[in-house]
Amino acid sequence: MIPIQTEKRTLLTVFTEATLEHVLIKDIDRLGIRGYTICDARGKGSRGVRDATWDESKNIRIEIICARPQAETLLAHLQERYYSNYAMVACLSEVEVLRPGKF
Amino acid sequence: MIPIQTEKRTLLTVFTEATLEHVLIKDIDRLGIRGYTICDARGKGSRGVRDATWDESKNIRIEIICARPQAETLLAHLQERYYSNYAMVACLSEVEVLRPGKF
Amino acid sequence: MIPIQTEKRTLLTVFTEATLEHVLIKDIDRLGIRGYTICDARGKGSRGVRDATWDESKNIRIEIICARPQAETLLAHLQERYYSNYAMVACLSEVEVLRPGKF
Amino acid sequence: MNSIDPVILFFLFGLVAGLLRSELKLPSALYDSLSIFLLLAIGLKGGQGLATQPLGPLLPQLLAVVVLGVVQTLIAFGALRAIFRFDRPNAAATAAHYGSVSVATFAVAAAWLSSRSIDVEPQMAILLAVMEIPAILVGIVLARGVSKDTDWRSLGHEAFLGKGVTLLLGGMAIGWAAGPEGLQPIKIMYFDLFKAVLALFLLEMGLIVSRQVDELKRRGLSLIAFGLAMPLLSACLGLGTGMMLGFSVGGMTMLATLAASASYIAVPAAMRIAVPEANPAVSLAGSLGVTFPFNILAGIPLYHWMATQLTGATP
Amino acid sequence: MNSIDPVILFFLFGLVAGLLRSELKLPSALYDSLSIFLLLAIGLKGGQGLATQPLGPLLPQLLAVVVLGVVQTLIAFGALRAIFRFDRPNAAATAAHYGSVSVATFAVAAAWLSSRSIDVEPQMAILLAVMEIPAILVGIVLARGVSKDTDWRSLGHEAFLGKGVTLLLGGMAIGWAAGPEGLQPIKIMYFDLFKAVLALFLLEMGLIVSRQVDELKRRGLSLIAFGLAMPLLSACLGLGTGMMLGFSVGGMTMLATLAASASYIAVPAAMRIAVPEANPAVSLAGSLGVTFPFNILAGIPLYHWMATQLTGATP
Amino acid sequence: MNSIDPVILFFLFGLVAGLLRSELKLPSALYDSLSIFLLLAIGLKGGQGLATQPLGPLLPQLLAVVVLGVVQTLIAFGALRAIFRFDRPNAAATAAHYGSVSVATFAVAAAWLSSRSIDVEPQMAILLAVMEIPAILVGIVLARGVSKDTDWRSLGHEAFLGKGVTLLLGGMAIGWAAGPEGLQPIKIMYFDLFKAVLALFLLEMGLIVSRQVDELKRRGLSLIAFGLAMPLLSACLGLGTGMMLGFSVGGMTMLATLAASASYIAVPAAMRIAVPEANPAVSLAGSLGVTFPFNILAGIPLYHWMATQLTGATP
Ligand SMILES: Nc1ncnc2c1ncn2[C@@H]1O[C@H](COP(=O)(O)O)[C@@H](O)[C@H]1O
Ligand SMILES: Nc1ncnc2c1ncn2[C@@H]1O[C@H](COP(=O)(O)O)[C@@H](O)[C@H]1O
Ligand SMILES: Nc1ncnc2c1ncn2[C@@H]1O[C@H](COP(=O)(O)O)[C@@H](O)[C@H]1O
Ligand code: NA
Ligand code: NA
Ligand code: NA
């Protein structure tokens, strides 16, 4: 087998309130990011326990694989727009993908 | 406390259609990989929005911790077999584990 | 735009039995860790297939972003206390965050 | 003698279980399903009633309740700013909760009245749907003023096509088009099981309300005072409006209850997006932790008694 | 005069809400639960009917509907290749959808007939289960030819032990073993609530159908033409088969509806695995976006009218 | 002649579907919802019965069943250690399962008795709730001895405020406070639909039981022997206790069934935390894979027959 050719991309993971889902999807689209994945979640942070027992306390977890600059732009946007008023945590990490043109 | 002894392994994360769950589990077993974790997900990619509102539009998110060569073999298999016909994205990253013999 | 200032933290991911959720949350709180995120999951490992079809076979997936030493302390605690008797796998990886004081 | 309504007992059970930190919780899909069911059933019932009467008199009523909603929101805002010293965003967001309505409270009132065979005008369901909305818009204007970058389109979308309003209006349309006869084959589920489903829903409401207690403790008495005074004031406005519109005792009781009730589903979701600086825990502690229990435990009988007094009817 | 069936109104409501991009959606666990309920209830009803009659005549009927399913799939494939210029995998996958059946359509027809007190042969439920399968196998052969590495074992497993077939057959076995008397204590849920549950299910179907519109626009008229022509043709084949088997007007209507209906659950899942090159959006836009609404809104009454004409019965 | 109860048929259907590895599975939110419903309904029914009689005689009965639970656990532990050579933690955990009770088994017995119009003392639901608990505490002491670092507080919390006990006791309190008359408007759901909901629940139980087969094979005959012998012994203890307490035939049958039943919800969850070294697969294979099916298929009629023999009643 030929060794596979991977390329580095950045994975941005966002933990936040489920109410924001629609709004964040619009932001992502607007920034020209081409894909994302969302899971339902619950958790705890500086804004207290969010245990997903009803609408107001549901969290989501968004993952976005993209080029570093895009990830930074989105992260900066999140920080500026949402960090101070919403339960939100985000982090970046490095991943390897095939088909780099896709991200 | 003695500093803990971790060892490097590779984490392969796959985002894909829920319909493939059974098939992929068989592939994973056949390649001799000993563990995996699956979450339900939704998302968007080049094959459009998959919002999990009904069976056909459900996504899953599979995580597999294993040795780099195994991860590459599985990734190559996914690329060859599924990438062209299914909604599927996969990425590799590096993680540290205890009990390296397990993975 | 000013380049964003990120700092390195450690992400500890734990895959384990859903029955342990309450207990682990108490452990996390006791160690002074300030946040976590939990998703429902299913999977397979050395303790067999856990397919989430009923209470006993449900898994969860916990993510904790914190400083490396805290992550190591928690991981060591998990290893000592749970590894031998519970379905549990944990791994560490590196992530970048804004607001390092938060973690 | 009337024994306590089981629906209320379910609520109290959930409340106590929650306060004792029992491990009881309903799957969130069940909670969602129950609320979809209730909204549809309320809509169907109202629509079926409308099918048997002229729609003409509806228009002035719709106008009246819109005004009622707006006035309530403004009063609540004023009181929260002046008396309770809330900052602008929190006052606006909380006022929007109180200017809007609560479907669960409506459902309890409907069950309470029907178990006493007190008739209610069928259009109540449509008034319920309509009263959800104006407070949201007023609340946003109060928080932000009218500025160019308010995204009215998506706010309108949120307000008119949110889950609650859609289900109420859809249910009414179906009930109206099918009429009492057409609904016959599905009556057993949507009408006969209504109260039992409401009971289960209120069990979960009790659990949710129990989680507001911490926030209430943190806020002290002022939130409790507001959460009790506001519904009483609103109920009076509602009774007045109902009288003006020539409603029956049942209809007046219902409109008073609607006015007195505070939203905890549609409005929090909308305010979270539109007024991010407002802390949702505050509004919810008031609307869920104080006003909701007050209304279903004491308010409804009280409003009914007031309606009978006002109309001179024998209770 | 017959008012519109509320079941249809629920579907239209879902469709309109979806087209207006309302935020309404049912939790997916509710959707799953409703479909499990419907499949079980249909099976129970059929099984209970079978318990009161000899099983002998069933065999030729089973054979006939298997042939019917195979023929439909072949015709659909031929038409899609020759007239609609589909490539081989898409033609095969789409043909399999149309050669198979839709449980929701069956349920609507059952409700339609029962509200008009038209009797139906009880074995219809077993025919429904059996007709799900042959088209899947034919579709795969059409797409790939018969090759050595077809995994027939897991395909057979998928076809015979899929959720739908399991629930239908299991329900029938239970209904048959318990008989009408044995089912008495559970009748209120599985029979009396059937139509109300179906209504809720169709609300979600309306939402799902509304999401097919984009794909339909992209494909243009050809998919719409096929989605209307194919059920009409299949209905005729179904009517003929029903006549040949000596069915009543109700049975003929039902078999015509079954033939006319196109799968949107079992077949898409099987085709996705077995014929990866086929684009599922295409087949589903046809089967869900065109054929399903056509059948429940216009097809069923039409097939019933045709059945009465054919048998010379007075409608 | 009595045909087989459909409730049992649903269980067998689930079992067969599971053994054939069908793709059938219920959404886990549905399974949770069904079990919440059953627990509430059992509680309501019992509470409503209690409302019509003095509560005085209850105390000795509660004491008696606590002793019964403790004795059963000790016997099971002794037998597992001495005869079946289990290690200490596994013996203790498994013994706790058998000393406790199974709500599903209780529900099947209730349905079995009611379909034969055999009366049962209403306090059975409270005995059910109480019998869940002592075995858990005894099991922990057997596994670990009484040590300083046992966290009795959180164990007590787990035992008394777990989902099952909360719902049973809450339901009873509601039923008792509302009384038969107050429950009238919600009766159709919680009482009339009980058996149909139980049937669906048992379908899932069948699927779950089918998954225990592998573990059973691995363990060989000893687990099967224990899983059959223990309920028989416990049933005798239960019959004796029932006789001593002056219960009717129905009450004796029920108490025998309760004693014979083994937990598979509350106890596994508690043991998993409190006795980590015990392998949950072992206890569950016994309690779910052997004892549960034995009890619902053969045990209940047997215990009823024994009760009639003991009391000299004509069956
Ligand atoms: N240290 C952390 N590790 C993982 N997830 C976190 C952490 N802190 C917060 N979260 C998640 O982010 C959400 C919002 O956090 P916060 O804004 O701090 O309330 C929480 O509800 C958690 O789901
Ligand atoms: N850039 C991305 N980041 C994260 N997830 C993605 C991304 N692109 C695609 N996905 C996920 O992978 C699935 C399949 O992608 P695709 O094959 O591009 O349609 C999508 O439905 C998403 O869940
Ligand atoms: N190699 C692996 N990669 C990803 N997840 C795993 C792996 N091994 C185990 N898991 C997860 O960890 C849980 C417990 O593993 P175990 O203790 O090995 O049974 C499993 O049920 C899986 O969800
Ligand atoms: Na109000
Ligand atoms: Na067909
Ligand atoms: Na027992």
Side-chain angles (χ1 to χ4, degrees):
Chain A
M1 214 175 59
I2 324 145
I4 57 172
Q5 288 291 339
T6 65
E7 212 164 295
K8 294 237 179 323
R9 284 292 176 276
T10 299
L11 169 66
L12 169 59
T13 308
V14 186
F15 308 101
T16 191
E17 310 180 11
T19 348
L20 285 182
E21 181 163 336
H22 288 294
V23 183
L24 292 178
I25 286 179
K26 269 189 221 153
D27 290 352
I28 292 172
D29 285 345
R30 195 157 7 87
L31 289 175
I33 294 172
R34 280 182 274 166
Y36 56 83
T37 298
I38 302 180
C39 294
D40 293 318
R42 51 193 177 279
K44 194 187 122 175
S46 56
R47 290 184 179 249
V49 174
R50 303 185 44 80
D51 59 3
T53 45
W54 72 302
D55 292 11
E56 292 308 301
S57 69
K58 281 180 184 159
N59 275 0
I60 52 172
R61 178 178 182 285
I62 313 183
E63 286 173 301
I64 298 152
I65 303 172
C66 55
R68 178 86 195 185
Q70 268 185 313
E72 293 197 355
T73 311
L74 180 50
L75 183 53
H77 170 75
L78 296 179
Q79 176 172 36
E80 190 204 308
R81 181 78 166 264
Y82 302 105
Y83 268 30
S84 50
N85 289 315
Y86 293 94
M88 184 181 281
V89 159
C91 64
L92 300 174
S93 59
E94 216 173 55
V95 297
E96 292 165 63
V97 296
L98 305 174
R99 303 181 296 182
K102 198 176 152 72
F103 303 96
Chain B
M1 214 176 61
I2 325 145
I4 57 171
Q5 288 290 340
T6 65
E7 213 163 294
K8 294 238 180 321
R9 284 292 176 275
T10 299
L11 169 65
L12 169 60
T13 307
V14 186
F15 308 101
T16 191
E17 309 180 12
T19 347
L20 283 182
E21 180 163 337
H22 287 294
V23 183
L24 292 178
I25 287 179
K26 270 190 219 153
D27 290 351
I28 291 171
D29 286 345
R30 194 154 10 85
L31 289 175
I33 294 171
R34 280 183 275 167
Y36 56 82
T37 298
I38 302 180
C39 294
D40 293 318
R42 51 193 176 279
K44 193 188 123 175
S46 56
R47 291 184 178 250
V49 173
R50 303 186 43 82
D51 60 1
T53 45
W54 71 302
D55 292 10
E56 292 308 302
S57 69
K58 282 181 184 158
N59 275 0
I60 53 173
R61 180 179 181 284
I62 312 181
E63 286 173 300
I64 297 152
I65 303 171
C66 56
R68 178 86 195 184
Q70 268 185 314
E72 293 197 356
T73 310
L74 179 50
L75 183 54
H77 170 75
L78 295 179
Q79 176 172 37
E80 189 205 309
R81 182 78 166 264
Y82 302 106
Y83 268 30
S84 49
N85 289 315
Y86 294 94
M88 183 180 281
V89 159
C91 63
L92 300 173
S93 59
E94 216 173 54
V95 297
E96 293 166 62
V97 296
L98 304 173
R99 304 181 297 181
K102 200 177 150 71
F103 303 95
Chain C
M1 212 176 59
I2 323 144
I4 58 171
Q5 287 292 340
T6 66
E7 213 165 293
K8 293 239 178 325
R9 283 293 176 275
T10 299
L11 169 67
L12 169 59
T13 308
V14 187
F15 307 102
T16 191
E17 310 180 11
T19 348
L20 285 182
E21 180 163 336
H22 288 294
V23 184
L24 292 178
I25 287 180
K26 271 190 219 153
D27 290 352
I28 291 172
D29 284 345
R30 196 159 4 89
L31 289 175
I33 293 171
R34 280 182 275 166
Y36 56 83
T37 298
I38 302 181
C39 295
D40 293 318
R42 51 193 178 279
K44 193 187 124 175
S46 57
R47 289 182 181 252
V49 173
R50 302 184 46 78
D51 60 1
T53 45
W54 71 302
D55 291 11
E56 293 307 302
S57 68
K58 282 180 183 160
N59 275 0
I60 52 172
R61 179 178 182 287
I62 313 182
E63 286 173 299
I64 297 152
I65 303 171
C66 55
R68 177 86 194 185
Q70 269 186 314
E72 292 196 357
T73 311
L74 179 50
L75 183 53
H77 171 75
L78 295 179
Q79 175 172 38
E80 190 205 308
R81 183 77 167 264
Y82 302 105
Y83 267 30
S84 49
N85 289 316
Y86 293 94
M88 185 180 280
V89 159
C91 64
L92 300 174
S93 59
E94 217 172 56
V95 297
E96 292 165 64
V97 297
L98 305 173
R99 305 180 298 180
K102 199 177 151 73
F103 302 96
Chain D
M1 198 213 74
N2 263 307
S3 56
I4 310 176
D5 197 319
V7 158
I8 299 295
L9 292 169
F10 271 80
F11 172 73
L12 294 174
F13 167 36
L15 189 63
V16 171
L19 292 175
L20 294 176
R21 307 202 175 281
S22 152
E23 270 155 42
L24 179 59
K25 63 178 179 183
L26 305 199
S28 79
L30 176 60
Y31 175 75
D32 287 355
S33 303
L34 295 175
S35 74
I36 288 170
F37 176 94
L38 293 175
L39 288 160
L40 267 179
I42 291 171
L44 286 171
K45 184 125 200 173
Q48 144 183 325
L50 282 185
T52 60
Q53 58 172 59
L55 297 181
L58 210 59
L59 256 162
Q61 296 174 8
L62 292 178
L63 202 74
V65 300
V66 167
V67 173
L68 178 60
V70 172
V71 170
Q72 279 184 70
T73 315
L74 294 174
I75 294 178
F77 180 73
L80 287 166
R81 290 289 281 158
I83 310 176
F84 297 93
R85 303 272 155 222
F86 274 41
D87 60 12
R88 191 178 187 90
N90 276 301
T94 306
H97 285 69
Y98 280 86
S100 183
V101 291
S102 143
V103 176
T105 313
F106 177 92
V108 174
W112 192 91
L113 290 168
S114 103
S115 75
R116 279 157 188 79
S117 311
I118 303 169
D119 280 337
V120 176
E121 282 76 5
Q123 64 267 43
M124 281 302 154
I126 210 169
L127 302 189
L128 165 67
V130 166
M131 285 180 80
E132 285 220 342
I133 299 168
I136 298 180
L137 306 176
V138 175
I140 295 170
V141 173
L142 288 173
R144 303 211 231 139
V146 185
S147 82
K148 263 193 315 206
D149 52 85
T150 310
D151 183 354
W152 290 107
R153 252 201 87 210
S154 71
L155 278 175
H157 186 267
E158 179 89 19
F160 288 96
L161 290 170
K163 194 175 87 171
V165 173
T166 305
L167 282 167
L168 282 172
L169 294 183
M172 291 202 79
I174 294 172
W176 182 80
E181 228 175 296
L183 293 186
Q184 199 56 37
I186 63 173
K187 191 180 154 297
I188 177 171
M189 179 149 137
Y190 294 103
F191 298 166
D192 300 353
L193 292 179
F194 182 80
K195 204 162 175 177
V197 171
L198 176 61
L200 198 52
F201 184 78
L202 285 185
L203 171 51
E204 173 73 17
M205 290 295 305
L207 291 168
I208 293 175
V209 167
S210 74
R211 271 179 233 118
Q212 311 301 324
V213 170
D214 287 348
E215 185 68 27
L216 273 181
K217 281 196 199 136
R218 211 170 301 142
R219 295 280 147 188
L221 281 180
S222 73
L223 200 55
I224 297 179
F226 177 77
L228 294 176
M230 189 65 209
L232 287 171
L233 185 72
S234 295
C236 296
L237 295 176
L239 284 170
T241 313
M243 202 158 192
M244 204 185 69
L245 295 171
F247 280 180
S248 67
V249 168
M252 284 175 64
T253 309
M254 209 54 153
L255 195 57
T257 305
L258 274 179
S261 73
S263 171
Y264 61 91
I265 298 182
V267 178
M271 288 298 126
R272 197 74 196 99
I273 304 296
V275 189
E277 319 85 306
N279 179 355
V282 175
S283 324
L284 284 173
S287 115
L288 270 179
V290 182
T291 306
F292 177 73
F294 169 73
N295 275 328
I296 67 167
L297 297 177
I300 294 168
L302 175 66
Y303 310 148
H304 176 247
W305 177 84
M306 287 160 76
T308 54
Q309 295 300 313
L310 273 174
T311 54
T314 42
Chain E
M1 199 212 76
N2 263 306
S3 57
I4 310 176
D5 197 319
V7 158
I8 299 296
L9 291 169
F10 271 81
F11 172 75
L12 293 175
F13 168 34
L15 189 61
V16 170
L19 292 175
L20 294 176
R21 306 203 176 280
S22 152
E23 270 155 41
L24 178 59
K25 63 179 179 183
L26 304 199
S28 79
L30 176 60
Y31 176 74
D32 286 356
S33 303
L34 295 175
S35 74
I36 288 171
F37 176 94
L38 293 176
L39 288 160
L40 267 178
I42 291 172
L44 286 170
K45 184 124 200 175
Q48 143 182 324
L50 281 185
T52 60
Q53 59 172 61
L55 298 181
L58 211 59
L59 256 161
Q61 296 174 9
L62 293 178
L63 203 73
V65 300
V66 167
V67 173
L68 178 60
V70 172
V71 169
Q72 278 185 71
T73 316
L74 295 174
I75 294 178
F77 180 72
L80 287 166
R81 291 288 281 158
I83 309 177
F84 297 92
R85 303 271 155 223
F86 275 41
D87 59 14
R88 191 179 188 90
N90 276 302
T94 305
H97 285 67
Y98 280 85
S100 184
V101 291
S102 143
V103 176
T105 313
F106 177 91
V108 174
W112 193 91
L113 291 168
S114 102
S115 75
R116 280 158 187 77
S117 312
I118 303 170
D119 281 336
V120 176
E121 282 77 4
Q123 64 268 41
M124 280 303 154
I126 209 168
L127 303 189
L128 166 67
V130 166
M131 285 180 80
E132 285 219 343
I133 300 168
I136 298 180
L137 307 177
V138 176
I140 295 170
V141 173
L142 288 174
R144 302 212 231 139
V146 186
S147 82
K148 264 192 313 205
D149 52 84
T150 311
D151 183 356
W152 290 106
R153 252 201 88 211
S154 70
L155 278 176
H157 186 269
E158 179 88 19
F160 288 96
L161 290 170
K163 196 174 85 170
V165 173
T166 305
L167 282 167
L168 281 173
L169 295 183
M172 291 201 80
I174 294 172
W176 182 81
E181 231 174 294
L183 293 186
Q184 198 57 37
I186 62 174
K187 191 180 154 301
I188 177 170
M189 179 149 138
Y190 294 104
F191 298 165
D192 299 354
L193 292 180
F194 182 79
K195 204 162 174 177
V197 172
L198 177 61
L200 199 50
F201 185 78
L202 285 186
L203 170 51
E204 173 73 17
M205 290 295 306
L207 291 168
I208 294 176
V209 167
S210 74
R211 271 180 232 117
Q212 310 302 322
V213 170
D214 287 348
E215 185 67 27
L216 274 181
K217 281 196 201 135
R218 212 169 300 143
R219 295 279 146 189
L221 281 179
S222 73
L223 201 55
I224 297 179
F226 177 76
L228 295 175
M230 189 65 209
L232 287 171
L233 184 72
S234 295
C236 295
L237 295 177
L239 284 171
T241 313
M243 201 157 193
M244 204 186 69
L245 294 171
F247 280 179
S248 66
V249 167
M252 283 174 62
T253 309
M254 207 55 149
L255 196 57
T257 306
L258 275 179
S261 74
S263 171
Y264 62 90
I265 299 180
V267 178
M271 288 297 126
R272 196 74 196 98
I273 305 296
V275 189
E277 316 86 305
N279 179 356
V282 176
S283 324
L284 284 173
S287 114
L288 271 178
V290 182
T291 306
F292 177 73
F294 170 72
N295 276 328
I296 68 168
L297 297 177
I300 296 169
L302 175 65
Y303 310 148
H304 176 248
W305 178 83
M306 287 159 78
T308 55
Q309 295 301 313
L310 273 174
T311 54
T314 42
Chain F
M1 199 212 75
N2 263 307
S3 57
I4 310 175
D5 197 319
V7 159
I8 299 296
L9 292 170
F10 271 81
F11 172 74
L12 293 175
F13 167 35
L15 190 62
V16 171
L19 292 175
L20 294 177
R21 307 202 175 282
S22 151
E23 269 155 42
L24 178 60
K25 62 180 181 183
L26 305 199
S28 79
L30 175 60
Y31 176 75
D32 287 356
S33 303
L34 295 175
S35 74
I36 288 170
F37 176 94
L38 293 176
L39 288 160
L40 267 178
I42 291 172
L44 286 171
K45 184 124 201 175
Q48 144 182 325
L50 282 183
T52 61
Q53 58 171 59
L55 296 181
L58 210 59
L59 255 163
Q61 294 174 9
L62 292 179
L63 203 74
V65 300
V66 167
V67 173
L68 179 59
V70 172
V71 169
Q72 278 185 69
T73 315
L74 295 174
I75 294 178
F77 181 71
L80 287 166
R81 291 288 281 157
I83 308 177
F84 296 92
R85 303 271 155 226
F86 274 41
D87 60 14
R88 192 178 188 90
N90 276 302
T94 306
H97 285 68
Y98 280 86
S100 183
V101 291
S102 143
V103 176
T105 313
F106 177 91
V108 174
W112 192 90
L113 290 168
S114 102
S115 75
R116 281 158 188 77
S117 311
I118 302 170
D119 280 338
V120 175
E121 282 77 5
Q123 64 268 42
M124 281 302 154
I126 209 169
L127 303 188
L128 165 67
V130 167
M131 286 181 79
E132 285 220 344
I133 300 167
I136 297 180
L137 306 176
V138 175
I140 294 170
V141 173
L142 288 174
R144 303 212 230 141
V146 185
S147 83
K148 264 193 313 206
D149 50 84
T150 311
D151 183 355
W152 290 106
R153 251 201 89 210
S154 72
L155 278 175
H157 187 268
E158 178 89 19
F160 289 96
L161 290 171
K163 194 175 87 170
V165 173
T166 306
L167 282 168
L168 281 172
L169 295 182
M172 292 202 80
I174 295 172
W176 181 81
E181 229 173 296
L183 293 186
Q184 199 57 37
I186 62 173
K187 192 180 154 297
I188 177 170
M189 179 148 137
Y190 294 104
F191 298 166
D192 300 353
L193 292 180
F194 182 79
K195 205 163 174 175
V197 171
L198 177 61
L200 198 50
F201 185 78
L202 286 186
L203 170 52
E204 173 72 17
M205 290 294 306
L207 291 168
I208 293 175
V209 167
S210 74
R211 272 179 231 117
Q212 311 301 323
V213 170
D214 288 348
E215 186 67 27
L216 274 180
K217 281 198 201 136
R218 212 170 302 143
R219 294 279 148 189
L221 282 179
S222 73
L223 200 56
I224 297 178
F226 177 77
L228 295 175
M230 189 65 208
L232 287 172
L233 185 71
S234 294
C236 295
L237 295 176
L239 285 171
T241 312
M243 200 157 194
M244 205 185 70
L245 295 171
F247 280 179
S248 67
V249 168
M252 285 174 62
T253 308
M254 208 56 150
L255 197 56
T257 305
L258 275 179
S261 74
S263 172
Y264 62 91
I265 298 181
V267 179
M271 288 297 127
R272 196 75 196 98
I273 305 296
V275 190
E277 318 85 306
N279 178 354
V282 176
S283 324
L284 284 174
S287 116
L288 269 178
V290 183
T291 306
F292 177 73
F294 170 72
N295 275 328
I296 67 167
L297 298 177
I300 294 168
L302 176 66
Y303 310 148
H304 177 248
W305 178 83
M306 287 159 77
T308 55
Q309 295 299 314
L310 273 174
T311 54
T314 41

